[in-house]
Amino acid sequence: MDFKERLIEHYGFTEKDWKETVSRFEPEILPAKSLFLEKGEVATKLAYLRSGMMRSFFYDDQANDITIHFFKQGTVVISMKSFNDQVPSREHIIAIEDCEIDVITHSRMLELMEEVPAWRQIAKDVDEFKYNDLMNRSIQLQTLSASERYQLFVKKHPDILQKVALRHIASYLGIDIATLSRIRRSV
């Protein structure tokens, strides 16, 4: 199901709502290894990822690259706290591969919420989804073994496994690369 179909089905979008929406988003191509957002910048835009894959990450105090989230085709690319509160980002967001995105600025999103009230609910739903995803991940990191986390990741995200460096998967799962290699050999 494409973006338009989901908006119609889940939020009762009319053709007028769709036209207002499309008029505010700008299509862009983001080449692989390009930053969508750099740490310390205020997130002035969000994107709908039409194709490709991105990830968000930060560097810990030992300069280790720690993956926070993977963004897959058909998802919203956002640094939630930075975008919603217009504060500096604590993370980087980078294209893992060439990406086709539809981008909207913060100010245009506010205008869109006024013109198409369903966008208020969409924004709330995206925030809730991202929050629940973060809470589930936090619980998994605390309650599941490294092997269980990896097996769950493989089950839920086989597409990511094929496109992402193992070191990024290891950091996302909260384990080192040697442990991930050992787990992969035993599974």
Side-chain angles (χ1 to χ4, degrees):
M1 182 182 313
D2 74 3
F3 190 38
K4 181 179 181 181
E5 290 169 345
R6 290 199 305 206
L7 293 175
I8 291 168
E9 182 178 325
H10 296 293
Y11 298 100
F13 260 53
T14 64
E15 198 58 39
K16 180 180 181 276
D17 294 338
W18 176 248
K19 285 180 182 172
E20 283 291 335
T21 298
V22 169
S23 74
R24 289 189 170 69
F25 278 82
E26 296 289 330
E28 288 184 21
I29 303 293
L30 187 65
K33 300 181 183 175
S34 299
L35 285 172
F36 177 74
L37 178 66
E38 191 166 355
K39 179 184 176 196
E41 292 178 351
V42 174
T44 58
K45 59 187 179 179
L46 66 78
Y48 176 78
L49 186 56
R50 280 187 283 127
S51 69
M53 187 174 292
M54 294 188 200
R55 74 180 181 99
S56 60
F57 68 98
F58 66 93
Y59 293 104
D60 68 10
D61 54 0
Q62 280 104 35
N64 296 310
D65 175 328
I66 308 296
T67 298
I68 304 165
H69 187 76
F70 295 104
F71 299 97
K72 302 191 288 187
Q73 179 177 331
T75 62
V76 175
V77 180
I78 185 173
S79 175
M80 230 171 35
K81 174 96 174 129
S82 181
F83 185 81
N84 290 343
D85 298 340
Q86 290 296 277
V87 296
S89 172
R90 300 169 77 184
E91 64 194 303
H92 301 276
I93 300 177
I94 193 168
I96 294 172
E97 56 190 2
D98 291 345
C99 296
E100 293 179 23
I101 55 179
D102 293 316
V103 177
I104 188 168
T105 63
H106 185 265
S107 59
R108 293 187 94 177
M109 178 56 82
L110 294 177
E111 292 169 6
L112 185 57
M113 288 175 166
E114 289 300 316
E115 286 295 318
V116 182
W119 272 102
R120 289 187 197 118
Q121 185 62 46
I122 294 166
K124 183 180 174 193
D125 290 350
V126 167
D127 284 353
E128 187 175 321
F129 176 82
K130 298 282 185 186
Y131 174 79
N132 287 335
D133 189 47
L134 183 64
M135 288 304 298
N136 288 334
R137 184 156 168 257
S138 177
I139 290 166
Q140 290 168 5
L141 285 169
Q142 295 174 10
T143 62
L144 299 179
S145 70
S147 180
E148 290 168 328
R149 291 193 305 270
Y150 175 72
Q151 289 172 14
L152 184 61
F153 183 84
V154 169
K155 182 179 176 185
K156 289 177 74 176
H157 307 291
D159 51 342
I160 293 175
L161 196 60
Q162 302 302 315
K163 296 180 177 183
V164 176
L166 288 179
R167 70 181 185 277
H168 299 315
I169 293 170
S171 74
Y172 178 80
L173 295 173
I175 57 180
D176 61 44
I177 192 74
T179 301
L180 179 58
S181 295
R182 196 169 42 255
I183 291 168
R184 286 171 49 94
R185 279 193 306 271
S186 69
V187 175

